[in-house]
Amino acid sequence: SQELEQSPQSLIVQEGKNLTINCTSSKTLYGLYWYKQKYGEGLIFLMMLQKGGEEKSHEKITAKLDEKKQQSSLHITASQPSHAGIYLCGADLNTGFQKLVFGTGTRLLVSP
Amino acid sequence: DGGITQSPKYLFRKEGQNVTLSCEQNLNHDAMYWYRQDPGQGLRLIYYSQIVNDFQKGDIAEGYSVSREKKESFPLTVTSAQKNPTAFYLCASSGGYSYNSPLHFGNGTRLTVT
């Protein structure tokens, strides 16, 4: 079973619409990282969250970590075609060294 | 510009052959990692290295080997013992022992074994 569950697995939204991707664990997340991947390429770091209740924004993307540090959400406002790709959450589960486990990813398509 | 270089981008091999994937970083990072990505399974950790001349097995190390003779280099060998080697392989590096240090990834190598 996956230690990090992402939902939805895929998403098609119309350009200009808002969307939210979720990342959930049954364990405490000591560091939560959001990445974006274009098909066949490497992962691009978006944001990192550490503290319960923390929220960070960059351009039109906002990431939040809940107070219990077991769930994170990534929200995109007014989506654009450039937002299309695969979004992955990665987390440090306090294994003693910075080894991240990853969710299975959410594939986002933005239609014109 | 600093970054991680993986080569080659595409690699084709016959079953039974060993193959080595290259990963070089000029970020002066202590830690380096190899992940494997398969459809529907996310990324899985193969090996990681915290420092030169030291490395540890990740979750799926069977059939793989690594070396860390230089800080900037962490090659991965996929041996004939790996039962399902066809996958997308990603190398990463980080500052290491710190929750403030995100992993930086290369652009990956897609290995196809027939």
Side-chain angles (χ1 to χ4, degrees):
Chain A
S1 63
Q2 281 293 128
E3 293 184 282
L4 282 183
E5 296 286 342
Q6 270 188 252
S7 63
Q9 289 187 341
S10 63
L11 194 54
I12 303 173
V13 298
Q14 193 172 18
E15 184 175 354
K17 298 293 186 184
N18 303 337
L19 63 107
T20 299
I21 298 168
N22 294 301
C23 177
T24 304
S25 176
S26 59
K27 301 179 180 178
T28 301
L29 306 172
Y30 287 88
L32 189 289
Y33 302 78
W34 282 101
Y35 287 87
K36 180 184 176 184
Q37 182 182 32
K38 298 227 167 178
Y39 181 75
E41 297 182 9
L43 278 65
I44 299 168
F45 172 68
L46 296 175
M47 276 174 278
M48 176 187 71
L49 304 166
Q50 289 179 265
K51 300 176 184 176
E54 187 175 7
E55 179 176 323
K56 287 187 177 178
S57 293
H58 178 67
E59 296 180 344
K60 295 185 178 182
I61 300 177
T62 299
K64 301 178 185 179
L65 182 62
D66 74 337
E67 289 289 344
K68 290 185 177 181
K69 294 174 62 175
Q70 289 185 302
Q71 183 171 347
S72 178
S73 62
L74 187 80
H75 183 78
I76 299 177
T77 303
S79 58
Q80 301 168 354
S82 61
H83 287 128
I86 301 170
Y87 290 83
L88 295 103
C89 62
D92 189 325
L93 302 179
N94 197 31
T95 55
F97 183 71
Q98 196 192 22
K99 295 188 298 176
L100 300 191
V101 294
F102 285 86
T104 54
T106 295
R107 187 179 295 271
L108 172 63
L109 295 175
V110 179
S111 62
Chain B
D1 287 339
I4 300 177
T5 301
Q6 289 188 243
S7 61
K9 188 170 178 66
Y10 299 97
L11 194 52
F12 298 88
R13 280 294 183 270
K14 293 288 187 184
E15 194 173 323
Q17 293 179 334
N18 292 353
V19 60
T20 297
L21 282 60
S22 170
C23 178
E24 303 278 332
Q25 55 102 356
N26 59 5
L27 299 167
N28 200 33
H29 283 165
D30 287 317
M32 296 187 74
Y33 311 76
W34 275 105
Y35 283 89
R36 169 180 172 145
Q37 186 176 31
D38 296 281
Q41 294 198 49
L43 275 68
R44 292 182 290 168
L45 183 63
I46 304 172
Y47 267 97
Y48 66 100
S49 168
Q50 300 177 42
I51 199 166
V52 175
N53 293 321
D54 184 54
F55 49 83
Q56 285 79 39
K57 293 181 179 180
D59 301 318
I60 56 164
E62 186 176 350
Y64 299 98
S65 66
V66 294
S67 63
R68 187 84 188 277
E69 297 176 0
K70 298 186 295 181
K71 185 175 185 178
E72 56 271 20
S73 179
F74 191 41
L76 173 75
T77 297
V78 184
T79 75
S80 56
Q82 169 49 232
K83 296 179 180 177
N84 296 297
T86 295
F88 189 53
Y89 290 88
L90 287 159
C91 178
S93 70
S94 78
Y97 247 116
S98 168
Y99 296 134
N100 293 321
S101 181
L103 270 62
H104 297 260
F105 284 85
N107 277 330
T109 292
R110 185 167 298 279
L111 173 64
T112 302
V113 177
T114 58

